[in-house]
């Protein structure tokens, strides 16, 4: 009995408090954003906020369940959990239910479950399991390909279900790989390619080729020692030119019109004011409404349940992907900044804990958790305040929805469980 | 390094986001204003605008409801052909027009209401109202317009019109589409008449649908109705004045000396106030506004500054007595004018020498030139004398806005030593430089209302009440400034000889022909030279006809100033009109039809055409009298009969 109590006390309470704050404040905002008419009771289950409260209640059962397993369980069963998740994703093609054009839901009675939310922690476990294997060396191409396959399988399945937003999340694992020894060149190349893609779309292929050439020539002359052969430079140039063409081709023909427009708005590509207005009306309606709601909050916001744009349901999907706009309107700069700080603190705390892990499995998994939160937070909040093109993914712990909340809770609490066990890891 | 990538990225993202939030919420966001929040619908209830009555309780301005059919295009359900046919018939439009209007409204905004058919007649409204429920997306908006119960007094009553953006910026009470008093009492008593509109704040959703009161209506207010006002105008006298002013340009202002109440305020040419109501307001207003020759919107009774001419002499007589520089018996010779240096200020033929009484009733220029010199030269320097004189003049309300409650006005001009120091240099001028002031020409300018007020002050023997238009406000009192007398700098005892002189103007002087039996009128004629620039040449035009009077001599009931542009000598038009107005007011009927017929029959339109005709023309002694058509004359007589009947 005594031993058990001591052990329970080793959970990282700081992280748990951050979690409780985020979920609690999230509920407050969902209440504001989703209530229809008078609020008779905070537990009114006929309304969305009442349902979400049930989800939160179930979350605590889930937490107890997760913490009651042995820490070793997760490492041992990582592969099986991963397999189940993949099967669940594949099953969607047969049994899935279409919601808003994405086939990513199972309908169980009146409830719906979104397996992609659970595939994240499963993938994180599988990645951790694979990398922490003594045989694995992230510097080798073989292992790089295998570990890439672990994340590509769920990512592609999700993409096929028409949920492009959730696919992007799997890019988070890049941070994990890099931490675990992936060569620098990958990071440099990835950043260069992103820059090149943006350059190509914004200024056209010619300018991007000129820029690439200039960069390569500069590098060539600056690097007097250990200079690579001129052919390698030429190869890089050719690849980047091909990449530019590829990006352009993909943008023009590979993307759906609404995706094209979102990028066009983000990079301010459209110059014709009439077309721009039309595009804004069609694609940026949510964004404009959300920016207006946030802007109208001022220093301290209009107050709980006092947001006129929130009450008037001006921002579509406000209780799900656009929940941060409610924070902006009702709690102002003060409240929004606190939410940003809470998230960043959570991420840094998980990173800190990960680095202090003795087992590589725990560290890699922790890194995966931090990376997934980071990507979700950055993309969702960045989109809601108009810094990033529209990508539909939820804000962890804030957005309405059972699957999302549970997925993130499991993701976090498995790590808390692993962390609590580090004393025993000798 | 590998450990730091995510950490640094996270911190960077946090900082960028907080900066972005600061930019959105603090830097570029203005302070929150409920009225500017497009998520909150502001629904106004307009109170009844106060009525306007004349001094005898006759209703002049009331309200009329106006019904607009409004449409919210996105809520319109397509009508089948029978319904469409019926609806168009009710609205008196063709099905094509229906489509056209609907398209136009949709183009403006599918979500916001647009006027579909404005200002229905009452009978159309009654029929339509019953069936309105059948036509989704259409509704009837009730508005309130002014309804004038009269065709006179446009310059007094004024009008209401839509507020413009600059007013909204200065007075946030008003919202686009609100009506505000633009001229006349509608403008000066705007806040009294309009009341306070009620407001309801309603929370909207993104489909512009109402989803309930904002914060349960804690900010909502009820409308407060506007107050009725009674103005000092005698509508019968006003109507008569406007009739007399027909085909002439000028102003008549009549004041009750015992109270300062304005009995009539005529400006010619005038217009029918009903022109500025409703749908045609802007069209008609533009027409009036653009008439830069007759200037019907220019209130000549209040805004036209003229040299006062001979009536001004009465003030010089009073000042001379007050300053004790002449006695009533002192006599001066006049041989067709007053000579100073090698110049002469001409006068007409009359007996000489002249004392004060004769000086006034004969309007002798030489007498007043002498008197004026004695006033100014009484002191060590002309500058000192000029300032003393100027103060006396100003105590009669000249040279400044009267501080009245009229929407327009002009201060006129009374010179002081400063005026001449500026023109000639300090101490480089003499009394004779300013001698024209003796006879009301020179540097003096006054508006008809100031001259009427001057007459009232003389009639009261030394004080006046600020002329005002408000007589009574519902459940309120009128400002004390209008009920406290203002004293002139002249002692009461000095008024009697001057009043006697003005009485003798009627008995044996320049207005002998204008006598009205049984009414003791005191008056003073005036004839003022005036000039116009025609083809860049300064050209003299026919003199202005001026008359200032009050009656009866003791305890006067009416003081009046009449100004007729290019009417030639004072008694010709202005004098007749003044006598007629006085008799109409005091007796209620006219015993001098000859005078009335003269004024009604003769037009001055030909005088006003002279500067624009390009033809050579004569003035003053060569001027002619041109009668109007017999039909028009008979029409005037008929109007006259109607006025007296009511």
């Amino acid at each position: 009995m005594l031993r058990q109590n001591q052990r329970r006390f080793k959970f990282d309470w700081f992280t748990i408090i951050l979690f409780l704050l985020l979920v609690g404040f999230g509920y407050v905002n969902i209440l504001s954003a989703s209530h229809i008419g008078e609020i008779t009771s905070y537990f009114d289950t006929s309304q969305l906020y009442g349902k979400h409260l049930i989800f939160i209640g179930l979350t605590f059962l889930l937490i107890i369940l997760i913490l009651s397993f042995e820490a070793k369980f997760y490492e041992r069963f990582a592969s099986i959990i991963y397999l189940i998740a993949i099967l669940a994703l594949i099953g969607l093609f047969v049994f899935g239910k279409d919601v808003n054009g994405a086939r990513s839901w199972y309908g169980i009675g009146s409830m719906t479950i979104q397996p992609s939310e659970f595939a994240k922690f499963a993938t994180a476990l599988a990645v951790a399991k694979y990398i922490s294997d003594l045989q694995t060396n992230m510097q080798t191409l073989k292992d790089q390909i295998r570990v890439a396959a672990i994340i590509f399988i769920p990512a592609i399945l999700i993409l096929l279900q028409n949920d492009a937003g959730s696919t992007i999340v799997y890019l988070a694992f890049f941070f994990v790989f890099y931490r675990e020894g992936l060569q620098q060149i990958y990071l440099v190349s990835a950043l260069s390619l992103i820059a090149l893609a943006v350059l190509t779309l914004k200024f056209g292929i010619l300018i991007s080729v000129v820029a690439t050439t200039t960069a390569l020539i500069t590098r060539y002359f600056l690097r007097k020692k250990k200079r690579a052969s001129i052919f390698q430079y030429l190869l890089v140039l050719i690849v980047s030119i091909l990449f530019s063409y590829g990006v352009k081709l993909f943008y023009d023909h590979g993307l759906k019109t609404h995706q094209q427009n979102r990028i066009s708005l983000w990079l301010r590509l459209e110059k014709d004011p009439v077309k721009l207005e039309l595009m804004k009306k069609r694609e940026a309606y949510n964004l404009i409404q959300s920016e207006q709601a946030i802007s109208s909050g001022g220093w301290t916001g209009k107050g709980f349940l006092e947001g006129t744009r929130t009450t008037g349901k001006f921002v579509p999907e406000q209780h799900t992907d656009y929940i941060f706009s409610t924070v902006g309107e009702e709690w102002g700069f003060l409240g929004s900044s606190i939410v940003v700080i809470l998230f960043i603190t959570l991420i840094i705390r998980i990173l800190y804990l990960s680095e202090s892990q003795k087992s590589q499995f725990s560290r890699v998994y922790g890194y995966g958790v931090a990376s997934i939160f980071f990507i979700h937070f950055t993309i969702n909040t960045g989109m809601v305040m108009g810094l990033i093109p529209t990508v539909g993914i939820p804000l962890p712990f804030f957005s309405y929805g059972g699957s999302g909340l549970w997925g993130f809770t499991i993701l976090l609490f498995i790590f808390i469980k692993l962390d609590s066990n580090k004393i025993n890891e000798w | 390094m590998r450990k730091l990538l995510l950490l640094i990225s996270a911190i960077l993202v946090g900082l960028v986001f907080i900066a972005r939030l600061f930019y959105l919420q603090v830097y570029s966001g203005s302070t929150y204003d409920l009225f500017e929040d497009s998520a909150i619908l502001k629904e106004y209830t307009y109170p009844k605008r106060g009525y306007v009555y004349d001094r005898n309780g006759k209703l002049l301005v009331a309200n009329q409801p106006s019904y607009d059919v409004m449409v919210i295009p996105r809520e319109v359900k397509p009508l089948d052909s029978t319904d469409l046919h019926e609806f168009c018939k009710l609205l008196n439009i063709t099905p094509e027009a229906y489509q056209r209007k609907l398209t136009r409204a949709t183009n403006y905004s599918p979500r916001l209401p647009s006027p579909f058919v404005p200002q229905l007649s009452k009978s159309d409204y009654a029929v339509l109202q019953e069936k309105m429920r059948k036509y989704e997306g259409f509704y009837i908006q009730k508005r309130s317009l002014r309804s004038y119960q009269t065709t006179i007094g446009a310059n007094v009553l004024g009008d209401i019109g839509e507020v413009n953006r600059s007013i909204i910026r200065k007075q946030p009470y008003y919202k686009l589409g609100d009506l505000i008093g633009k001229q006349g009492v509608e403008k000066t008593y705007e806040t009294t008449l309009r009341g306070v509109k009620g407001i309801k704040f309603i929370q909207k959703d993104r489909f512009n649908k109402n989803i309930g009161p904002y914060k349960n209506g804690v900010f909502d207010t009820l409308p407060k109705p506007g107050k009725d006002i009674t103005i000092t105008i005698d509508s019968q006298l006003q109507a008569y004045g406007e009739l007399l002013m027909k085909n002439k340009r000028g102003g008549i202002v009549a004041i009750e000396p015992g109270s300062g109440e304005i009995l009539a305020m005529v400006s010619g040419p005038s217009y029918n106030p009903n022109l500025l109501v409703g749908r045609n307001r802007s069209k008609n207003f533009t027409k009036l506004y653009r008439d830069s020759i007759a200037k019907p919107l220019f209130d000549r009774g209040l805004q036209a500054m003229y040299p006062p001419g001979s009536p001004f002499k009465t003030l010089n007589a009073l000042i001379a007595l007050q300053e004790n520089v002449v006695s009533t018996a002192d006599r001066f010779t006049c041989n067709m004018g007053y000579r100073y240096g090698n110049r002469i200020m001409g006068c007409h033929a009359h007996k000489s020498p002249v004392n004060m009484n004769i000086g006034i009733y004969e309007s002798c220029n030489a007498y007043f030139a002498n008197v004026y010199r004695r006033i100014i030269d009484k002191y060590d320097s002309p500058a000192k004398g000029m300032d003393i004189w100027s103060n006396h003049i100003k105590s009669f309300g000249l040279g400044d806005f009267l501080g009245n409650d009229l929407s327009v006005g002009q201060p006129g001009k009374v010179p002081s030593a400063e005026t001449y120091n500026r023109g000639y240099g300090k101490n480089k001028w003499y009394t004779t430089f300013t001698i024209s002031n003796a006879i009301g020409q020179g540097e003096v300018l006054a508006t008809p209302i100031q001259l009427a007020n001057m007459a009232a002050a003389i009639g009261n023997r030394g004080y006046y009440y600020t002329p005002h238009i408000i007589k009574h406000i519902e459940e309120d009192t009128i400002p004390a400034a209008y009920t406290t007398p203002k004293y002139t700098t002249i002692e009461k005892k000095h008024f009697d000889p001057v009043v006697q002189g003005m009485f003798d103007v009627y008995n044996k002087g320049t207005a002998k022909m204008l006598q009205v039996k049984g009414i003791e009128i005191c008056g003073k004629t005036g004839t003022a030279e005036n000039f116009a620039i025609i083809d860049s040449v300064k050209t003299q035009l026919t003199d202005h006809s001026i008359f200032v009077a009050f009656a009866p001599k003791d305890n006067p009931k009416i003081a009046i100033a009449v100004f007729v542009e290019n009417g030639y000598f004072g008694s010709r038009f202005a004098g007749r009109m003044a006598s007629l107005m006085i008799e109409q007011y005091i007796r209620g009927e006219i015993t001098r039809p000859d005078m009335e017929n003269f004024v009604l029959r003769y037009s001055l339109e030909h005088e006003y055409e002279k500067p624009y005709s390009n033809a050579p023309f004569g003035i003053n002694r060569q001027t002619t009298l041109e009668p109007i058509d017999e039909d028009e004359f008979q029409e005037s007589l008929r109007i006259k009969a109607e006025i007296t009947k009511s």
Side-chain angles (χ1 to χ4, degrees), chain A residues 178 182 285 291 294 298-299 302 306 308-309 311-314 328 332-333 336 344 355 367 378 385, chain B residues 2-3 6 10 17-18 20-22 25-26 32 37-40 203-206 211 214-215:
Chain A
Y178 182 70
L182 193 69
Y285 179 81
E291 267 187 43
I294 293 174
W299 272 109
K302 297 174 192 166
E306 307 271 314
T308 54
R309 306 197 151 262
T311 313
K313 310 264 180 292
F314 275 71
F333 176 66
S336 327
I344 300 298
E355 292 295 348
Y367 239 83
T378 306
M385 56 177 100
Chain B
R2 286 179 181 278
K3 292 179 187 173
L6 186 54
F17 283 6
I18 288 175
R20 171 69 174 173
L21 287 169
F22 185 83
Q25 300 183 303
V26 181
Y32 178 68
D37 190 338
S38 58
I40 302 298
Q203 173 76 52
K204 291 193 297 183
D205 69 4
R206 70 168 179 273
I211 55 175
Y214 172 65
K215 293 200 184 175

Coordinates of all heavy atoms in Angstrom, one line a residue, chain A residues 178 182 285 291 294 298-299 302 306 308-309 311-314 328 332-333 336 344 355 367 378 385, chain B residues 2-3 6 10 17-18 20-22 25-26 32 37-40 203-206 211 214-215:
Chain A
Y178 N 15.7 13.3 -36.2 CA 16.9 14.1 -36.1 C 17.6 14.0 -34.7 O 18.8 13.9 -34.6 CB 16.5 15.6 -36.4 CG 17.6 16.5 -36.4 CD1 18.5 16.5 -37.5 CD2 17.8 17.5 -35.4 CE1 19.6 17.3 -37.5 CE2 18.9 18.3 -35.4 CZ 19.8 18.3 -36.5 OH 20.9 19.1 -36.5
L182 N 19.7 11.2 -37.2 CA 19.5 11.4 -38.6 C 20.5 12.5 -39.1 O 20.7 13.5 -38.4 CB 18.1 11.9 -38.9 CG 17.7 11.9 -40.4 CD1 17.6 10.4 -40.9 CD2 16.3 12.6 -40.6
Y285 N -13.3 32.7 -45.7 CA -14.4 33.2 -44.9 C -14.1 32.9 -43.4 O -14.1 33.8 -42.5 CB -15.7 32.6 -45.3 CG -16.8 33.0 -44.4 CD1 -17.5 34.2 -44.6 CD2 -17.3 32.2 -43.3 CE1 -18.5 34.7 -43.8 CE2 -18.3 32.7 -42.5 CZ -18.9 33.9 -42.8 OH -19.9 34.3 -41.9
E291 N -10.1 35.9 -37.6 CA -9.2 37.0 -37.3 C -9.9 38.2 -36.7 O -9.5 38.8 -35.8 CB -8.5 37.5 -38.6 CG -7.1 36.8 -38.8 CD -6.4 37.4 -40.0 OE1 -6.4 38.7 -40.1 OE2 -5.8 36.7 -40.8
I294 N -10.7 37.4 -33.1 CA -9.5 37.5 -32.2 C -9.2 39.0 -32.0 O -9.0 39.5 -30.9 CB -8.3 36.8 -32.8 CG1 -8.6 35.3 -32.8 CG2 -7.1 37.1 -32.1 CD1 -7.5 34.5 -33.5
G298 N -9.1 42.6 -28.0 CA -8.3 43.7 -27.3 C -7.4 43.1 -26.2 O -7.1 41.9 -26.3
W299 N -7.1 43.9 -25.3 CA -6.2 43.5 -24.2 C -6.8 42.4 -23.4 O -6.1 41.4 -23.2 CB -5.9 44.7 -23.2 CG -4.8 45.6 -23.6 CD1 -4.9 46.8 -24.1 CD2 -3.4 45.3 -23.6 NE1 -3.7 47.4 -24.4 CE2 -2.7 46.4 -24.1 CE3 -2.7 44.2 -23.2 CZ2 -1.3 46.5 -24.2 CZ3 -1.3 44.2 -23.3 CH2 -0.6 45.4 -23.8
K302 N -13.7 40.2 -24.2 CA -15.0 40.7 -23.8 C -15.6 40.0 -22.6 O -16.6 40.4 -22.1 CB -15.9 40.6 -25.0 CG -15.5 41.4 -26.2 CD -16.4 41.1 -27.4 CE -15.7 41.7 -28.7 NZ -16.4 41.1 -29.9
E306 N -19.4 36.5 -23.3 CA -19.8 37.9 -23.7 C -19.3 38.2 -25.2 O -19.5 39.2 -25.7 CB -19.1 38.9 -22.8 CG -19.4 38.7 -21.3 CD -20.7 39.4 -20.9 OE1 -20.9 40.6 -21.3 OE2 -21.5 38.8 -20.2
T308 N -19.4 38.6 -28.8 CA -20.6 38.8 -29.6 C -20.4 37.9 -30.9 O -21.4 37.4 -31.4 CB -20.8 40.3 -30.0 OG1 -19.5 40.7 -30.6 CG2 -21.1 41.1 -28.9
R309 N -19.2 37.8 -31.3 CA -19.0 37.0 -32.6 C -19.1 35.5 -32.2 O -19.5 34.7 -33.0 CB -17.6 37.3 -33.2 CG -17.5 38.8 -33.4 CD -16.5 39.2 -34.4 NE -17.0 40.4 -34.9 CZ -17.6 40.5 -36.1 NH1 -17.7 39.4 -36.9 NH2 -18.1 41.6 -36.5
T311 N -21.0 34.3 -29.7 CA -22.4 34.1 -29.4 C -23.1 34.0 -30.7 O -24.1 33.2 -30.9 CB -23.0 35.2 -28.6 OG1 -22.1 35.4 -27.5 CG2 -24.3 34.8 -28.0
G312 N -22.8 34.8 -31.7 CA -23.5 34.9 -33.0 C -23.0 33.8 -33.9 O -23.5 33.7 -35.0
K313 N -22.1 32.9 -33.5 CA -21.6 31.8 -34.3 C -21.1 32.3 -35.6 O -21.4 31.8 -36.7 CB -22.7 30.8 -34.5 CG -23.4 30.3 -33.3 CD -22.9 29.0 -32.8 CE -23.6 28.6 -31.5 NZ -23.4 29.4 -30.4
F314 N -20.3 33.4 -35.6 CA -19.8 34.0 -36.8 C -18.6 33.1 -37.4 O -18.4 33.1 -38.6 CB -19.3 35.4 -36.5 CG -20.4 36.4 -36.6 CD1 -21.3 36.5 -35.7 CD2 -20.4 37.3 -37.7 CE1 -22.4 37.4 -35.8 CE2 -21.5 38.2 -37.8 CZ -22.4 38.2 -36.8
G328 N -9.4 34.1 -28.1 CA -9.0 35.5 -28.5 C -10.1 36.5 -28.2 O -9.8 37.6 -27.7
G332 N -9.1 37.9 -24.7 CA -8.2 38.9 -25.2 C -6.7 38.5 -25.3 O -6.4 37.3 -25.3
F333 N -5.9 39.5 -25.4 CA -4.5 39.2 -25.6 C -3.9 38.5 -24.3 O -3.1 37.6 -24.5 CB -3.7 40.6 -25.7 CG -2.2 40.5 -25.8 CD1 -1.6 39.8 -26.9 CD2 -1.5 41.0 -24.8 CE1 -0.3 39.7 -26.9 CE2 -0.1 40.9 -24.8 CZ 0.5 40.2 -25.9
S336 N -5.2 34.7 -24.5 CA -4.5 34.0 -25.6 C -3.1 33.8 -25.3 O -2.5 32.7 -25.6 CB -4.7 34.8 -26.9 OG -5.9 35.5 -26.9
I344 N 3.5 26.0 -24.9 CA 5.0 26.0 -25.1 C 5.6 25.4 -23.8 O 6.5 24.6 -23.9 CB 5.5 27.4 -25.4 CG1 4.9 28.0 -26.6 CG2 7.0 27.4 -25.5 CD1 5.2 27.2 -27.9
E355 N 14.6 14.1 -22.1 CA 16.1 14.1 -22.1 C 16.6 13.4 -20.8 O 17.7 12.9 -20.8 CB 16.6 15.5 -22.2 CG 16.4 16.2 -23.6 CD 17.2 15.5 -24.7 OE1 18.1 14.6 -24.4 OE2 16.9 15.8 -25.9
Y367 N 9.9 12.3 -27.0 CA 10.2 13.2 -28.1 C 9.1 13.2 -29.1 O 8.7 14.3 -29.6 CB 11.5 12.8 -28.8 CG 12.5 14.0 -28.7 CD1 13.3 14.1 -27.6 CD2 12.6 14.9 -29.8 CE1 14.1 15.2 -27.5 CE2 13.5 15.9 -29.7 CZ 14.3 16.1 -28.5 OH 15.1 17.1 -28.5
T378 N 1.2 24.5 -33.5 CA 1.7 25.4 -34.4 C 0.8 25.6 -35.6 O 0.4 26.7 -36.0 CB 3.1 25.0 -34.9 OG1 4.0 24.8 -33.8 CG2 3.7 26.1 -35.8
M385 N -4.9 32.3 -36.4 CA -4.5 33.7 -36.4 C -4.0 34.2 -37.8 O -3.4 35.3 -37.9 CB -3.7 34.1 -35.2 CG -2.4 33.3 -35.1 SD -1.4 34.0 -33.7 CE -1.8 32.8 -32.4
Chain B
R2 N 21.6 18.8 -31.6 CA 20.4 18.0 -31.9 C 19.3 18.1 -30.9 O 18.1 18.0 -31.2 CB 20.9 16.5 -32.1 CG 21.7 16.3 -33.3 CD 22.1 14.8 -33.4 NE 22.9 14.6 -34.6 CZ 22.3 14.4 -35.8 NH1 21.0 14.4 -36.0 NH2 23.1 14.3 -36.9
K3 N 19.7 18.2 -29.6 CA 18.7 18.3 -28.6 C 18.0 19.6 -28.6 O 16.9 19.7 -28.1 CB 19.4 18.2 -27.2 CG 20.0 16.8 -26.9 CD 20.7 16.8 -25.6 CE 21.4 15.5 -25.3 NZ 22.2 15.6 -24.1
L6 N 14.1 21.2 -31.5 CA 12.7 21.3 -31.2 C 12.5 22.4 -30.1 O 11.5 23.2 -30.2 CB 12.2 20.0 -30.7 CG 10.7 19.9 -30.5 CD1 9.9 20.4 -31.7 CD2 10.2 18.5 -30.2
A10 N 10.2 25.6 -30.6 CA 9.0 25.8 -29.8 C 9.0 27.2 -29.2 O 8.0 27.9 -29.2 CB 8.9 24.8 -28.7
F17 N 3.9 33.8 -32.1 CA 2.4 33.8 -31.9 C 2.0 34.9 -31.0 O 1.0 35.6 -31.2 CB 2.0 32.5 -31.4 CG 1.9 31.4 -32.4 CD1 2.3 31.6 -33.7 CD2 1.3 30.1 -32.1 CE1 2.2 30.7 -34.7 CE2 1.3 29.2 -33.1 CZ 1.7 29.4 -34.4
I18 N 2.8 35.1 -29.9 CA 2.4 36.2 -29.0 C 2.6 37.6 -29.7 O 1.7 38.5 -29.6 CB 3.3 36.1 -27.7 CG1 2.8 34.9 -26.9 CG2 3.1 37.4 -26.9 CD1 3.6 34.6 -25.7
R20 N 2.1 38.1 -32.9 CA 1.0 38.1 -33.8 C -0.3 38.5 -33.1 O -1.1 39.4 -33.5 CB 0.8 36.8 -34.5 CG -0.5 36.7 -35.3 CD -0.4 37.5 -36.6 NE -1.6 37.3 -37.4 CZ -1.9 38.0 -38.5 NH1 -1.1 39.0 -38.9 NH2 -3.0 37.7 -39.2
L21 N -0.5 37.9 -31.9 CA -1.6 38.2 -31.1 C -1.6 39.7 -30.7 O -2.6 40.4 -30.7 CB -1.7 37.4 -29.8 CG -2.1 35.9 -30.1 CD1 -1.9 35.1 -28.8 CD2 -3.6 35.8 -30.5
F22 N -0.4 40.2 -30.3 CA -0.3 41.6 -29.9 C -0.6 42.5 -31.1 O -1.4 43.5 -30.9 CB 1.2 41.9 -29.5 CG 1.3 43.2 -28.9 CD1 1.0 43.6 -27.6 CD2 1.8 44.3 -29.8 CE1 1.2 44.8 -27.2 CE2 2.0 45.6 -29.3 CZ 1.6 45.8 -28.0
Q25 N -4.6 42.1 -31.6 CA -5.5 42.5 -30.6 C -5.2 43.8 -30.0 O -6.1 44.5 -29.5 CB -5.5 41.4 -29.5 CG -5.9 40.0 -30.0 CD -6.0 39.0 -28.9 OE1 -5.0 38.8 -28.3 NE2 -7.1 38.4 -28.8
V26 N -4.0 44.2 -30.0 CA -3.6 45.4 -29.3 C -3.2 46.5 -30.2 O -3.7 47.6 -30.2 CB -2.5 45.2 -28.2 CG1 -2.2 46.5 -27.5 CG2 -2.9 44.1 -27.3
Y32 N -13.1 48.6 -28.3 CA -14.4 47.9 -28.7 C -15.6 48.9 -28.5 O -15.7 49.5 -27.5 CB -14.6 46.7 -27.8 CG -15.8 46.0 -28.1 CD1 -16.0 45.3 -29.4 CD2 -16.9 45.9 -27.2 CE1 -17.2 44.7 -29.7 CE2 -18.1 45.3 -27.5 CZ -18.2 44.6 -28.7 OH -19.4 44.0 -29.0
D37 N -20.0 47.0 -33.7 CA -19.9 45.5 -33.8 C -21.0 45.0 -34.8 O -22.2 45.2 -34.5 CB -20.2 45.0 -32.4 CG -19.9 43.5 -32.3 OD1 -19.9 42.8 -33.4 OD2 -19.6 43.0 -31.2
S38 N -20.5 44.4 -35.9 CA -21.5 44.0 -36.9 C -22.2 42.7 -36.4 O -23.2 42.3 -37.1 CB -20.7 43.7 -38.2 OG -19.7 42.8 -38.0
A39 N -21.8 42.2 -35.3 CA -22.5 41.0 -34.8 C -23.8 41.4 -34.0 O -24.6 40.6 -33.7 CB -21.6 40.2 -33.9
I40 N -23.9 42.7 -33.7 CA -25.0 43.2 -32.9 C -25.9 44.1 -33.8 O -25.4 45.1 -34.3 CB -24.6 44.0 -31.7 CG1 -23.7 43.1 -30.8 CG2 -25.8 44.5 -30.9 CD1 -24.3 41.9 -30.3
Q203 N -28.6 40.3 -30.8 CA -27.5 39.5 -31.2 C -27.8 38.8 -32.5 O -28.9 38.2 -32.7 CB -27.2 38.4 -30.1 CG -26.2 37.4 -30.5 CD -24.8 37.9 -30.4 OE1 -24.3 38.4 -29.5 NE2 -24.0 37.7 -31.5
K204 N -26.9 38.9 -33.5 CA -27.2 38.2 -34.8 C -26.2 37.0 -34.9 O -25.2 36.9 -34.2 CB -26.8 39.2 -35.9 CG -27.8 40.3 -36.0 CD -27.6 41.0 -37.4 CE -26.2 41.6 -37.5 NZ -26.1 42.4 -38.7
D205 N -26.6 36.1 -35.8 CA -25.6 35.0 -36.1 C -25.0 35.4 -37.5 O -25.3 36.4 -38.1 CB -26.2 33.6 -36.0 CG -27.3 33.4 -37.1 OD1 -27.4 34.3 -38.0 OD2 -27.9 32.4 -37.1
R206 N -24.2 34.4 -38.0 CA -23.5 34.8 -39.2 C -24.4 34.8 -40.4 O -24.0 35.3 -41.5 CB -22.3 33.9 -39.4 CG -22.6 32.4 -39.8 CD -21.3 31.7 -40.2 NE -21.5 30.4 -40.5 CZ -21.5 29.4 -39.7 NH1 -21.3 29.6 -38.4 NH2 -21.6 28.1 -40.1
I211 N -30.9 36.2 -33.0 CA -31.0 35.1 -32.1 C -31.3 35.5 -30.7 O -31.1 34.8 -29.8 CB -29.7 34.2 -32.2 CG1 -28.5 35.0 -31.9 CG2 -29.6 33.5 -33.6 CD1 -27.2 34.1 -31.9
Y214 N -29.4 41.2 -27.0 CA -28.0 41.1 -26.5 C -27.9 41.4 -25.0 O -28.5 42.4 -24.5 CB -27.2 42.2 -27.3 CG -25.8 42.4 -26.8 CD1 -24.8 41.4 -26.9 CD2 -25.4 43.6 -26.2 CE1 -23.5 41.6 -26.4 CE2 -24.1 43.8 -25.7 CZ -23.2 42.8 -25.8 OH -21.9 43.0 -25.4
K215 N -27.3 40.5 -24.3 CA -27.2 40.6 -22.8 C -28.6 40.8 -22.2 O -28.8 41.6 -21.3 CB -26.3 41.7 -22.4 CG -24.9 41.4 -22.7 CD -23.9 42.2 -21.9 CE -22.5 41.9 -22.3 NZ -21.5 42.7 -21.7

